């Protein structure tokens, strides 16, 4: 595949940073090497010396003085090797991407660590999108994605979806405006990419069914990455919801020629993800192993399933007849449509807050966020069942007053 045709002029012009390359070389050299090249601060001047982090399901993680010196120092832009290696093994186990053994120029799978998945997505968008480019997505969509896309000046085209995600026939209808050969003619402005969240979409909690994934990308497989025989899938993952959101550790998996462009961007922006948090996550994952990590994910899933059930119970108790919703398949949100109210923005942003209930109005999850919306998003991640019940009781009273 000719990946160069997807790159913006800015991305295509990126060259390796000589200073960052020195950091890469230093990481591979023996301690006997005498380096007068890199401007690394002397770790003996760092005030942080040791640390012990207790773990809920495992042994404490200890950073002695040598480990702490490394944790507080510059590191590789793509991520520290031991974390990259562990994540690569996990991706192969979970997805078995066909591209794992492809040649580089044919889209060989590669990975880089990012400062959360949002950092990776922003760099992917800036790598691909020129002003005026067409991009596809399905509303409603995470507002942070829209805020990353809109300043790039692209034409955002909505593909209709329902409670099971993107509707394949609707995608075919949108794409029918172009012929397959149009993709080779820049003047035809064929869509650059399709952005979708296949599992646990924010805000709806919807997940694509296997049949729909098959219709969007043949042949059938449980994830888009596992069916990527052409090297045209870029997947963004994050540890935010399963380990810690404040650690800001995510990773991008995709064709090596494009991942290399993301790394070049990192070299001149954040330089590299936090060494300290990478080492902390790496130590934990190596201690747990893949089975231990997946067992932890199961425990987190069970927790949020119970939280979801509590919010649904509160919704059934207080909002029946006043609103409608679909049971979320994943994620941590309930997407609710209030009946009889054309636009709930003022009610959610002003009146609900006056009753000490904070939620997000639905309009912020649409391309045109000025358009009226009867929807709102409620999170079940942090509130207790008692608080959820009280919140929806107050909301029900507010809806009745507003009708």
């Amino acid at each position: 595949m000719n990946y160069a045709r997807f790159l913006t002029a800015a991305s295509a012009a990126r060259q390796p940073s000589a200073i960052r390359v020195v950091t890469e070389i230093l990481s591979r050299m023996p301690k006997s090497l005498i380096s007068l090249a890199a401007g690394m601060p002397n770790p003996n001047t760092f005030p942080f010396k040791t640390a012990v982090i207790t773990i809920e399901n495992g042994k404490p993680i200890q950073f002695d003085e040598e480990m702490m010196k490394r944790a507080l120092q510059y590191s590789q832009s793509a991520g520290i090797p031991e974390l990259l290696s562990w994540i690569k093994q996990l991706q192969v186990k979970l997805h078995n991407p066909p591209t794992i053994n492809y040649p580089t120029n044919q889209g060989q799978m590669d990975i880089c660590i990012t400062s959360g998945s949002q950092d990776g997505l922003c760099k992917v968008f800036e790598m691909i999108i020129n002003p005026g480019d067409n991009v596809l997505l399905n509303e409603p969509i995470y507002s942070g994605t829209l805020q990353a896309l809109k300043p790039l000046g692209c034409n955002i085209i909505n593909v209709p979806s329902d409670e099971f995600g993107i509707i394949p026939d609707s995608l075919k209808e949108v794409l029918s405006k172009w012929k397959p050969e149009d993709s080779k003619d820049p003047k035809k402005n064929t869509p650059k990419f399709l952005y979708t969240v296949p599992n646990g979409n924010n805000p709806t909690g919807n997940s694509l069914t296997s049949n729909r994934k098959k219709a969007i990308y043949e042949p059938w497989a449980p994830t888009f990455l596992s069916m990527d025989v052409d090297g045209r899938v870029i997947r963004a993952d994050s540890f935010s919801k399963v380990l810690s959101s404040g650690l800001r550790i995510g990773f991008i998996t995709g064709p090596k020629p494009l991942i290399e462009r993301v790394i070049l961007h990192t070299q001149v922006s954040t330089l590299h993800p936090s060494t300290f948090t990478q080492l902390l996550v790496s130590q934990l994952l190596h201690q747990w192993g893949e089975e231990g990590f997946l067992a932890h994910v199961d425990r987190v899933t069970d927790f949020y399933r119970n939280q979801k059930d509590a919010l649904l119970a509160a919704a059934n108790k207080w909002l029946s007849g006043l609103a409608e919703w679909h049971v979320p398949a994943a994620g941590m949100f309930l997407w609710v449509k209030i009946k009889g109210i054309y636009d709930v923005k003022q009610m959610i942003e002003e009146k609900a807050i006056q009753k000490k209930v904070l939620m997000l109005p639905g309009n912020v999850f649409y391309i045109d966020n000025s358009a009226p919306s009867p929807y709102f998003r409620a999170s079940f991640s942090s509130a207790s069942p008692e608080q959820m019940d009280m919140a929806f009781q107050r909301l029900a009273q507010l809806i009745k007053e507003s009708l």
Side-chain angles (χ1 to χ4, degrees):
M1 183 179 292
N2 177 21
Y3 291 105
R5 67 189 178 94
F6 292 103
L7 302 180
T8 62
S11 181
R14 295 192 187 281
Q15 297 292 325
S17 163
I19 294 174
R20 293 274 76 212
V21 171
V22 165
T23 303
E24 303 280 345
I25 294 172
L26 276 174
S27 69
R28 301 192 298 267
M29 292 293 104
K31 291 185 178 181
S32 58
L33 175 77
I34 300 174
S35 173
L36 303 179
M40 293 183 172
N42 192 309
N44 292 322
T45 66
F46 298 159
F48 311 100
K49 298 304 178 184
T50 63
V52 178
I53 298 94
T54 56
I55 304 299
E56 184 174 2
N57 295 287
K59 299 180 297 183
I61 294 175
Q62 299 191 17
F63 280 30
D64 60 19
E65 287 197 26
E66 284 305 307
M67 179 70 78
M68 186 64 86
K69 286 179 180 179
R70 183 187 172 201
L72 299 176
Q73 190 56 275
Y74 291 124
S75 60
Q76 300 93 321
S77 293
I80 62 173
E82 59 265 48
L83 183 56
L84 280 169
S85 176
W86 198 97
I87 289 174
K88 183 175 182 179
Q89 290 176 20
L90 181 71
Q91 294 292 66
V92 170
K93 178 176 180 177
L94 295 181
H95 307 285
N96 192 25
T99 57
I100 187 67
N101 294 315
Y102 280 22
T104 297
N105 63 353
Q106 293 181 20
Q108 180 188 72
M109 188 198 92
D110 200 9
I111 294 177
C112 69
I113 309 298
T114 55
S115 298
S117 62
Q118 183 77 6
D119 172 51
L121 285 171
C122 285
K123 288 170 180 172
V124 168
F125 294 158
E126 292 180 27
M127 170 180 68
I128 296 176
I129 298 174
N130 288 301
D133 280 347
N134 291 322
V135 300
L136 308 179
L137 51 75
N138 57 301
E139 293 178 314
I141 188 171
Y142 174 54
S143 59
T145 299
L146 291 173
Q147 300 312 314
L149 288 172
K150 286 183 175 180
L152 300 179
C154 55
N155 303 315
I156 305 175
I157 301 172
N158 176 49
V159 181
S161 60
D162 57 21
E163 67 267 32
F164 303 112
I166 280 182
I167 301 171
D169 287 343
S170 298
L171 177 60
K172 290 177 183 177
E173 183 179 348
V174 171
L175 292 175
S176 68
K177 300 174 183 177
W178 296 272
K179 300 176 182 178
E181 57 268 25
D182 289 346
S183 63
K184 298 179 181 179
D185 183 356
K187 294 180 181 179
K188 298 294 185 179
N189 200 15
T190 55
K192 273 288 186 73
F193 63 83
L194 165 68
Y195 173 89
T196 190
V197 179
N199 298 299
N201 179 48
N202 178 359
T204 63
N206 297 340
S207 292
L208 279 168
T209 63
S210 296
N211 287 337
R212 289 202 174 179
K213 288 179 185 177
K214 178 181 178 181
I216 293 171
Y217 195 144
E218 299 242 5
W220 178 88
T223 66
F224 286 123
L225 188 61
S226 66
M227 62 180 86
D228 184 22
V229 295
D230 299 317
R232 55 192 177 98
V233 170
I234 300 176
R235 177 185 171 98
D237 286 279
S238 175
F239 287 116
S240 290
K241 302 300 190 292
V242 292
L243 293 184
S244 162
S245 52
L247 289 176
R248 307 310 305 139
I249 295 292
F251 49 101
I252 298 290
T253 306
K256 189 175 183 66
L258 299 182
I259 297 300
E260 288 175 342
R261 294 284 115 189
V262 174
I263 295 170
L264 290 179
H265 190 164
T266 297
Q267 287 183 356
V268 296
S269 57
T270 56
L271 300 188
H272 60 82
S274 165
T275 313
F276 184 94
T277 54
Q278 286 187 85
L279 276 171
L280 180 61
V281 170
S282 179
Q283 293 279 314
L284 176 64
L285 295 177
H286 279 87
Q287 181 189 130
W288 275 352
E290 289 180 359
E291 288 188 8
F293 170 68
L294 295 177
H296 172 75
V297 172
D298 286 342
R299 288 191 293 270
V300 173
T301 302
D302 288 341
F303 172 82
Y304 287 123
R305 183 180 295 113
N306 291 333
Q307 291 287 101
K308 176 196 71 175
D309 291 344
L311 189 65
L312 287 172
N316 287 323
K317 179 179 178 181
W318 298 108
L319 301 182
S320 291
L322 299 174
E324 57 187 39
W325 56 88
H326 295 291
V327 176
M332 50 179 61
F333 306 106
L334 184 65
W335 185 241
V336 182
K337 179 182 180 181
I338 297 178
K339 296 179 179 181
I341 301 181
Y342 181 60
D343 188 11
V344 302
K345 185 176 187 295
Q346 183 182 18
M347 184 177 73
I348 296 299
E349 286 188 339
E350 299 177 15
K351 296 179 180 179
I353 291 178
Q354 292 172 3
K355 290 185 176 293
K356 295 184 171 56
V357 177
L358 183 63
M359 294 169 294
L360 279 176
N363 66 292
V364 302
F365 300 100
Y366 287 88
I367 299 167
D368 180 6
N369 60 15
S370 65
S373 172
Y375 291 93
F376 71 90
R377 189 193 77 174
S379 170
F380 51 79
S381 61
S382 300
S384 68
E386 294 76 18
Q387 289 174 321
M388 296 180 203
D389 184 84
M390 186 179 300
F392 276 2
Q393 180 183 12
R394 293 174 182 174
L395 179 62
Q397 179 184 350
L398 185 57
I399 294 173
K400 292 173 183 177
E401 292 172 356
S402 302
L403 286 173

